[in-house]
Amino acid sequence: ISAFVVLYPDRNMPDTPELTFEFAQGTTIVGRSSPQLEAPDQDGRIAYVATFPAEGFAPGIYELRAIARQGGSQDETRTTFTVVP
């Protein structure tokens, strides 16, 4: 399972941006990962590709959340995917 996200940190904030991936099935969080991010590129963005092993997921419908935080600000994006037997 792969995900690609691009963060645009606020250059005026001294806080380092953070990224968390959450996998949920219904209302239950079944996995979480917080990778170490590299510094922004010359255009001020951080592109990140994450890959997670599919073997750990039982068949069913899941939601993947990518949650970006910097200081007191937070934004997230979500998508769903289905694991079939």
Side-chain angles (χ1 to χ4, degrees):
I1 299 167
S2 297
F4 174 74
V5 295
V6 178
L7 284 70
Y8 295 90
D10 185 337
R11 295 177 183 183
N12 297 316
M13 295 181 79
D15 302 297
T16 302
E18 299 174 355
L19 177 62
T20 300
F21 291 101
E22 288 183 347
F23 291 90
Q25 192 170 34
T27 58
T28 303
I29 303 293
V30 296
R32 182 177 285 135
S33 175
S34 295
Q36 183 73 30
L37 297 174
E38 295 190 16
D41 66 15
Q42 68 274 9
D43 295 321
R45 64 184 176 217
I46 301 171
Y48 190 83
V49 177
T51 302
F52 305 94
E55 295 82 29
F57 293 92
I61 299 172
Y62 293 85
E63 181 177 63
L64 170 59
R65 302 173 190 146
I67 305 163
R69 293 181 186 85
Q70 186 180 15
S73 298
Q74 176 176 309
D75 195 13
E76 69 179 69
T77 187
R78 300 171 179 222
T79 191
T80 57
F81 63 96
T82 303
V83 176
V84 295

